[in-house]
Structure formats: C-alpha cells, structure tokens
Amino acid sequence: GLLERRRCLYLHTGRACCQMVEVLLATLILVCSSVSCGSTGGYTGLPTLGGIYYYQYGGAYSGFSGADGERAQELDQRFYLLKLPIARAAMAVGGCLLVFPCVLILVGVLQVPWHFPAWLLVECTLYIVIAVGTVPALYYFFHSLLSVYNSSVCKEREQLYQSKGYQGFWCSLHGAEIAAGLLGCTATMAYLLSAGLAVRDYRTVHEQKQKPLQL
C-alpha cells in the first residue's frame, strides 16, 4: 500500500543510488580478487591438453618433461601459496564492502533515518572511516603483491617458463589486480560522496521534523 510505496521512494534518492554503485564496485572487487587467487597459470601437462594446446599455443612449444615438469609444478604451487593470503584478504574486504551498503539500503527502505535522524551521522562517520581505511588497505595490497612478484620463487618460475617459450608468466601485476586497485580508489570516492549525502539528508530530515504539520 501507501507505506510500501513510500519505502520504495528511498531507492530513487541520491544516497540509495550511490549505495547501489557501491554494491556494484564491491562485487567487482570481489570478482577481481578471486581471479587474482585463481589465475595461477602454470604447467598442467601437455598430454592432458590435447588439441587445446595446439589451438592456444599453435603447437610451437615443446613443453616440459621430466625434472623440468616437476620443477614447474613445484614452483606453481609455491607461487600460488604466496599469493593465496593476499587474495583471501582482498576477497574478505570485498565481501565486507559488499555487505555494508546492502545493510544501509535495507535501513533506508525501512525508514530508520527518518525515525532516528542521528543514524545518518553514524552512517557518515562509518563512510569516512571506511574511505580513510581503504588507502592503507590498497597500499598493503599492492605492496604484498609486489613482494611476491619480486620473490625468488616468481623469478625462477618466470625464467623456467620463458626457457620453454611460454608467455604470460611474468613477475608483474596483471589486469585483475590493477582493476581491483582502481575499483578500490573509485569506491573510496563513492564513500566520501555518500558521507556528504548523509550529512545533507540529516539536515533535511531535521528541518522536516521541525515542521511536522506541513508534512
């Protein structure tokens, strides 16, 4: 009825639109983090690839055999274990950033800010804290990744694959990791914008509360 329509009106506000953008950004961060965790590449054994090997690599490379194959598998596993804690931490942060705006959207739909205007100030404070905390989180993310890529494991792995003619095993940031960082920066700006909108809405609700008869 009328109450349901009034609740749905929140989804058309600037704050709700910004929160839905935050949900999208957090989802993309989560996806990019999972790609970073899963994109180990590496040796899987050319006989198991069959025709796919020829389509992907054109049959131009001889592949691994014997001790080289075992060494490649060992380096892949060690490289994967080095990246795993970083990727898991990034996925955990992305999951938290996904839940937070979803909760705020639900709070807005339930009209909690109208009944308790002080909630908007709490929301503003949380947004500022998250925006400020995102900066050192991004620094830690890239610093840890670069430490892995500068490790002896990654360097030896890169040289081993290059010696067999394989490309794509370089010790450098790949697209998903760079995208996660850019999305994190965009999310930071969205959080600051949401903080400003929360303060604006607090003033609006406070003014309307002073004139209940006009509502």
Side-chain angles (χ1 to χ4, degrees):
L2 179 61
L3 180 59
E4 293 180 353
R5 289 196 296 269
R6 288 180 59 188
R7 288 177 176 176
C8 290
L9 286 176
Y10 173 75
L11 299 178
H12 297 279
T13 63
R15 201 165 89 254
C17 292
C18 197
Q19 289 166 352
M20 286 187 280
V21 171
E22 293 163 11
V23 170
L24 175 61
L25 291 173
T27 302
L28 294 175
I29 291 174
L30 189 59
V31 171
C32 291
S33 301
S34 64
V35 170
S36 176
C37 177
S39 62
T40 58
Y43 174 72
T44 57
L46 297 182
T48 64
L49 294 179
I52 298 177
Y53 167 74
Y54 284 94
Y55 280 108
Q56 185 171 358
Y57 298 107
Y61 308 125
S62 59
F64 294 100
S65 61
D68 286 342
E70 294 177 359
R71 184 57 178 167
Q73 289 180 336
E74 179 186 354
L75 290 173
D76 282 338
Q77 185 177 11
R78 291 174 61 186
F79 179 70
Y80 172 77
L81 292 177
L82 286 175
K83 288 185 65 178
L84 185 59
I86 307 171
R88 284 181 173 176
M91 292 173 65
V93 172
C96 293
L97 295 179
L98 177 61
V99 172
F100 179 65
C102 290
V103 171
L104 294 184
I105 291 175
L106 179 61
V107 169
V109 170
L110 296 178
Q111 298 184 339
V112 173
W114 171 255
H115 299 289
F116 304 98
W119 167 258
L120 291 170
L121 298 180
V122 175
E123 184 177 316
C124 174
T125 303
L126 292 174
Y127 270 123
I128 294 176
V129 170
I130 293 176
V132 173
T134 303
V135 177
L138 287 173
Y139 171 80
Y140 171 79
F141 176 70
F142 285 112
H143 177 74
S144 301
L145 283 176
L146 291 176
S147 298
V148 172
Y149 288 129
N150 290 328
S151 65
S152 59
V153 173
C154 185
K155 297 297 184 182
E156 183 180 354
R157 177 175 177 266
E158 179 184 34
Q159 292 175 0
L160 180 60
Y161 276 103
Q162 285 184 346
S163 67
K164 299 298 182 180
Y166 287 96
Q167 303 297 323
F169 296 90
W170 300 291
C171 293
S172 59
L173 297 172
H174 61 69
E177 294 162 348
I178 296 174
L182 294 176
L183 290 169
C185 295
T186 305
T188 301
M189 293 185 288
Y191 298 145
L192 294 176
L193 177 60
S194 292
L197 293 175
V199 173
R200 185 203 64 180
D201 289 351
Y202 171 78
R203 293 176 179 174
T204 301
V205 171
H206 184 71
E207 292 175 357
Q208 291 181 349
K209 285 283 189 178
Q210 300 298 321
K211 302 176 181 180
L213 293 180
Q214 295 182 7
L215 297 179

